Amino acid sequence: MGIVKELKKGALISLWFVFLTFPVMVIKVDPIARTVVWRWENALYMAVGTFVVYYIAQFFLKKKENQKEASEEKGLNHSIIHKILQNPLQRNIFVGVLAVAAVLFPQVLSAYQTNVMTTALMYVVLGLGLNIVVGLAGLLDLGFVAFYAVGAYTYALLNHHFGLGFFTVLPIGGLMAATFGILLGFPVLRLRGDYLAIVTLGFGEIIRLVLENWGEFSQGPSGISDISRPGFFGVDFDLQSSIIYTYYLMIILVIVTIFVVNRLQDSRLGRAWIALREDEVACQAMGIDKRKTKLVAFSLGAFWAGIMGVMFAAKTTFVNPASFTFLESAIILSIVVLGGMGSIVGVVLGALILILMPEYLRALSQYRMLAFGAILVCMMIFRPQGLISNIRRTYTFKKKTTNSLSK
Amino acid sequence: MTKQPILDVRGLTMDFGGIRALNSLDLDVTSGEIVALIGPNGAGKTTFFNCITGIYTPTEGNIWLTPPGGKKKISLNGLKPNQVTEKGLARTFQNIRLFSKMTVLENVMIGRHCRTKAFIFGAIFRTKATLQEEQDILQSSYAILEKVGMADFADEFADNLPYGAQRRLEIARALATEPLLLLLDEPAAGMNPQETQSLEHLIKQISMEGQAILLIEHDMKLVMSLSDRIFVMDYGKKIAQGTPLEIRENPAVIKAYLGEEVDA
């Protein structure tokens, strides 16, 4: 009985998909030859394909339900990476291998690959920044790219008008973005969930539109070009070594970010953020200043976006408003969600996957957004907690002295 | 022990649009005592809690908090909930509001938040002071867990706890803020008799250590055995106050709970 029902459901779903994709897959209009080709075989492929995919999905869903029951009995299910990170020896080996790979990367692979990796690393930092706001403090921010833009334009303008160098502007860009974070934070203090998302979305668009339309200030849509690359004590690099230099710089920034974000997360402030995410009313009743905690989350998140904005401007030597569309915000948010909200390892992994995959699957670039959507939908169904869910820190307690074990 | 009240509420009035939820309410709690606030459903007890803890801003009235040791009294009017907690009022919630994705220990550690002060700088550079403070937070939180008998659950997620334990954790978390007065909003709601009994034991134990407690509760057995004094509310007004014995025989209270006798 159950099987017949399932079969019926599968058939219905594949029929629906055939109907949905009918105009695209079946009808082909050739405007030059003035003919209409009916590709009925495509409808058949679609039907069979959907049918199979549906059952595969069903299979995994069932498996997941069974697993859930099993893991609830065992308690927490730790992922492999967590196991590695919890064992000090394995962790050191893991980190060592990563470090060697990171150092050798530009020596072994081409400048193109290095450049792609640099971009991916930038998104790692952006993801970690947004992770403070979304993952820890639970404030859904859809306009994160605005802070990225603020950082980028800070460097672009200061470099263009005053000739300030990369390292001078790096902290300025970060602080500038953090200031904007507070500016955005104030009006949205009372908002939560959907309303917050809408306002931040609007904020992101405002920044972009201002940059696009205020010609005297930002040179409008044509953008600012000829921005200096990161300097190194006045040494002039050729393009090749500049790319490698930028890469190493990015590695250092990623390490610093991970270090700082990790410490923030494991502090009194980090606890307050998570409490704020869990229950705002109870959080306040426990004496946490909601306003201050939120503002700090916004500004610290924005700070990293600002730093990365400066990096972006220096790396591409050109900025224009088109680089800071809502799509960027969506990608950064996807990184956080895909990787696992609140999990540093997860966000790093999420960024690498989401940014590197499209680069290496360029052949399928037409379907990029399609695949992107499909991945996110699948993630939400099969692993809503992200690739690597955050395991809360536990504290071991010995008599009167305490030793805290990081995850 | 001085007879000065810790909490002194005078003429507290709260209007929601045209509805007067609290009508010129007076209430006081003296140090070391357990005071119960009772009344039928919708009498305004939780509204009263929300007003004095700053979640609502009362329409009229004054709320004073007096720290022991002859210090000056502090007005709680117009303070935000977190400021009220800082001044020394900590509360639990009628419907449990724990941080469910945090461990039990962390829940209590959050309670220490308003008594500590490490911030961004300390968090990033882990200065000596910050490390020391973290240690202190850990130790005092753990001590509180031991006090309420939950040390074994320290690393468990809060939402994995059984119901009674979640209520206990709420009390532990509130205690961690070092309150002058502990406000318990229906701590025994939904508990079975055994759980209620162990709760009674816990509240007595906390009270023995000198903690003043203001309690909203429907379980009359619990109220009668615990409280030193009882305030009874109905329709936002105080209809009676006194010792458990006096309340038991008060006609106004009986009327509020059981209704008036009608001639057949």
Side-chain angles (χ1 to χ4, degrees):
Chain A
M1 195 183 83
I3 294 171
V4 175
K5 211 172 147 193
E6 281 287 293
L7 277 175
K8 244 187 188 168
K9 209 172 158 192
L12 216 68
I13 284 175
S14 47
L15 213 66
W16 174 241
F17 262 81
V18 169
F19 175 71
L20 273 184
T21 54
F22 187 81
V24 186
M25 302 300 291
V26 179
I27 307 171
K28 189 182 183 188
V29 181
D30 190 338
I32 294 164
R34 291 174 177 275
T35 53
V36 176
V37 186
W38 298 84
R39 298 170 297 175
W40 291 107
E41 72 280 1
N42 279 355
L44 188 72
Y45 297 148
M46 202 64 214
V48 175
T50 316
F51 201 69
V52 172
V53 168
Y54 171 73
Y55 281 107
I56 293 174
Q58 281 297 317
F59 173 73
F60 280 112
L61 266 182
K62 285 262 158 57
K63 202 173 143 194
K64 188 195 161 204
E65 267 165 28
N66 294 340
Q67 255 179 9
K68 211 180 197 174
E69 281 161 20
S71 71
E72 263 166 17
E73 281 166 20
K74 273 189 300 180
L76 290 163
N77 53 338
H78 298 254
S79 63
I80 304 168
I81 291 184
H82 276 298
K83 269 183 200 147
I84 291 174
L85 288 182
Q86 261 157 5
N87 182 326
L89 178 71
Q90 280 175 352
R91 183 174 61 193
N92 287 344
I93 294 172
F94 183 70
V95 171
V97 169
L98 267 189
V100 171
V103 170
L104 288 182
F105 192 88
Q107 317 296 339
V108 178
L109 292 165
S110 68
Y112 165 72
Q113 304 285 0
T114 313
N115 213 359
V116 167
M117 195 41 132
T118 311
T119 310
L121 291 176
M122 284 172 60
Y123 279 89
V124 168
V125 176
L126 284 170
L128 288 172
L130 187 61
N131 188 34
I132 294 178
V133 186
V134 177
L136 293 179
L139 306 162
L140 184 52
D141 186 350
L142 291 180
F144 195 63
V145 77
F147 306 123
Y148 190 37
V150 166
Y153 269 86
T154 304
Y155 181 47
L157 290 170
L158 286 178
N159 187 260
H160 186 76
H161 293 301
F162 305 106
L164 291 184
F166 173 78
F167 288 103
T168 324
V169 183
L170 197 63
I172 299 176
L175 291 177
M176 196 71 184
T179 313
F180 269 80
I182 292 173
L183 282 182
L184 167 67
F186 262 115
V188 302
L189 275 172
R190 290 165 177 277
L191 303 178
R192 240 184 286 181
D194 316 357
Y195 305 101
L196 179 69
I198 291 165
V199 174
T200 52
L201 177 66
F203 178 77
E205 287 302 289
I206 288 170
I207 295 278
R208 188 177 62 81
L209 287 172
V210 165
L211 291 174
E212 206 149 86
N213 293 299
W214 192 3
E216 300 99 74
F217 173 71
S218 66
Q219 305 194 1
S222 52
I224 301 168
S225 53
D226 273 335
I227 303 166
S228 325
R229 291 175 188 280
F232 184 69
F233 299 113
V235 179
D236 262 341
F237 287 123
D238 56 8
L239 187 60
Q240 178 85 17
S241 35
S242 178
I243 285 172
I244 295 176
Y245 174 57
T246 313
Y247 168 82
Y248 282 125
L249 213 59
M250 213 39 241
I251 290 276
I252 294 169
L253 275 174
V254 166
I255 293 170
V256 170
T257 312
I258 292 178
F259 178 80
V260 170
V261 172
N262 186 38
R263 287 204 155 181
L264 282 173
Q265 188 172 316
D266 276 345
S267 69
R268 169 176 174 271
L269 191 59
R271 275 197 302 274
W273 283 333
I274 295 168
L276 193 70
R277 179 187 75 192
E278 294 292 315
D279 191 323
E280 231 173 71
V281 175
C283 185
Q284 269 189 300
M286 286 302 112
I288 292 172
D289 190 341
K290 189 174 90 175
R291 178 194 284 259
K292 197 164 143 195
T293 314
K294 273 191 183 179
L295 284 181
V296 169
F298 265 120
S299 59
L300 276 179
F303 178 80
W304 296 113
I307 295 254
M308 275 311 103
V310 175
M311 192 74 207
F312 171 79
K315 176 174 164 283
T316 54
T317 69
F318 171 73
V319 290
N320 76 342
S323 310
F324 308 106
T325 54
F326 170 66
L327 184 67
E328 290 293 310
S329 287
I331 288 177
I332 303 168
L333 186 65
S334 310
I335 286 171
V336 176
V337 174
L338 183 87
M341 298 234 254
S343 156
I344 291 175
V345 188
V347 170
V348 172
L349 208 66
L352 293 181
I353 290 174
L354 274 190
I355 304 304
L356 292 183
M357 212 169 52
E359 290 295 339
Y360 292 119
L361 299 179
R362 273 212 180 269
L364 308 171
S365 61
Q366 280 182 26
Y367 304 101
R368 185 189 288 194
M369 290 327 280
L370 198 69
F372 208 67
I375 290 174
L376 283 180
V377 169
C378 289
M379 281 298 293
M380 286 305 102
I381 295 171
F382 295 111
R383 251 191 106 74
Q385 73 274 42
L387 284 176
I388 294 170
S389 57
N390 191 26
I391 290 183
R392 271 317 292 167
R393 186 186 156 120
T394 52
Y395 304 82
T396 49
F397 198 86
K398 289 181 206 150
K399 276 186 197 164
K400 278 287 153 195
T401 56
T402 49
N403 235 339
S404 39
L405 256 180
S406 213
K407 57 213 152 292
Chain B
M1 205 172 277
T2 52
K3 264 291 161 201
Q4 176 140 37
I6 292 186
L7 179 72
D8 194 9
V9 180
R10 290 282 158 245
L12 194 69
T13 301
M14 178 79 207
D15 292 335
F16 292 110
I19 296 164
R20 180 150 288 193
L22 293 177
N23 195 347
S24 188
L25 206 77
D26 299 337
L27 188 146
D28 60 280
V29 183
T30 314
S31 63
E33 70 174 349
I34 302 181
V35 174
L37 183 61
I38 62 171
N41 285 328
K45 304 180 297 285
T46 300
T47 306
F48 175 76
F49 264 28
N50 285 343
C51 280
I52 60 176
T53 54
I55 293 178
Y56 298 152
T57 314
T59 318
E60 261 176 66
N62 288 309
I63 309 154
W64 305 97
L65 195 68
T66 316
K71 283 193 198 122
K72 253 176 80 180
K73 59 181 181 179
I74 313 161
S75 170
L76 296 184
N77 287 46
L79 292 186
K80 290 205 205 73
N82 56 294
Q83 292 168 321
V84 171
T85 310
E86 221 176 291
K87 300 282 183 245
L89 274 190
R91 68 171 295 179
T92 66
F93 291 89
Q94 186 176 351
N95 22 14
I96 298 175
R97 280 176 171 273
L98 288 170
F99 308 117
S100 51
K101 290 280 171 279
M102 296 173 91
T103 65
V104 168
L105 185 60
E106 276 177 316
N107 265 278
V108 182
M109 286 167 87
I110 287 292
R112 298 296 306 156
H113 189 95
C114 63
R115 301 284 170 242
T116 48
K117 55 181 189 295
F119 211 52
I120 305 173
F121 183 84
I124 295 173
F125 297 102
R126 293 219 173 134
T127 55
K128 222 173 173 184
T130 312
L131 286 176
Q132 185 58 43
E133 191 181 89
E134 276 288 302
Q135 292 289 311
D136 292 346
I137 293 175
L138 251 172
Q139 273 175 25
S140 49
S141 305
Y142 201 80
I144 289 167
L145 276 184
E146 273 179 336
K147 188 153 87 179
V148 301
M150 292 187 57
D152 293 342
F153 295 122
D155 288 336
E156 195 68 51
F157 278 107
D159 62 348
N160 290 347
L161 291 179
Y163 186 80
Q166 291 195 3
R167 288 251 175 235
R168 259 166 195 272
L169 180 54
E170 274 223 326
I171 297 176
R173 190 177 65 175
L175 279 177
T177 66
E178 290 173 15
L180 296 172
L181 175 64
L182 180 65
L183 306 173
L184 303 176
D185 195 348
E186 294 199 24
M191 282 188 168
N192 64 31
Q194 285 89 342
E195 283 173 331
T196 308
Q197 207 172 22
S198 82
L199 178 79
E200 188 184 328
H201 188 74
L202 174 67
I203 295 177
K204 267 186 185 150
Q205 178 200 334
I206 296 169
S207 169
M208 297 268 256
E209 288 164 23
Q211 177 72 58
I213 296 171
L214 177 59
L215 165 89
I216 293 180
E217 189 48 68
H218 276 301
D219 188 325
M220 279 309 139
K221 223 178 95 196
L222 187 71
V223 169
M224 291 299 166
S225 80
L226 277 177
S227 4
D228 300 309
R229 281 189 302 144
I230 299 177
F231 287 80
V232 189
M233 282 175 74
D234 196 17
Y235 296 111
K237 278 189 202 149
K238 184 168 75 184
I239 56 171
Q241 83 178 74
T243 63
L245 214 66
E246 290 163 10
I247 293 301
R248 214 188 290 257
E249 264 127 48
N250 190 315
V253 177
I254 296 168
K255 187 180 128 195
Y257 271 91
L258 301 176
E260 227 164 331
E261 263 181 79
V262 194
D263 293 325

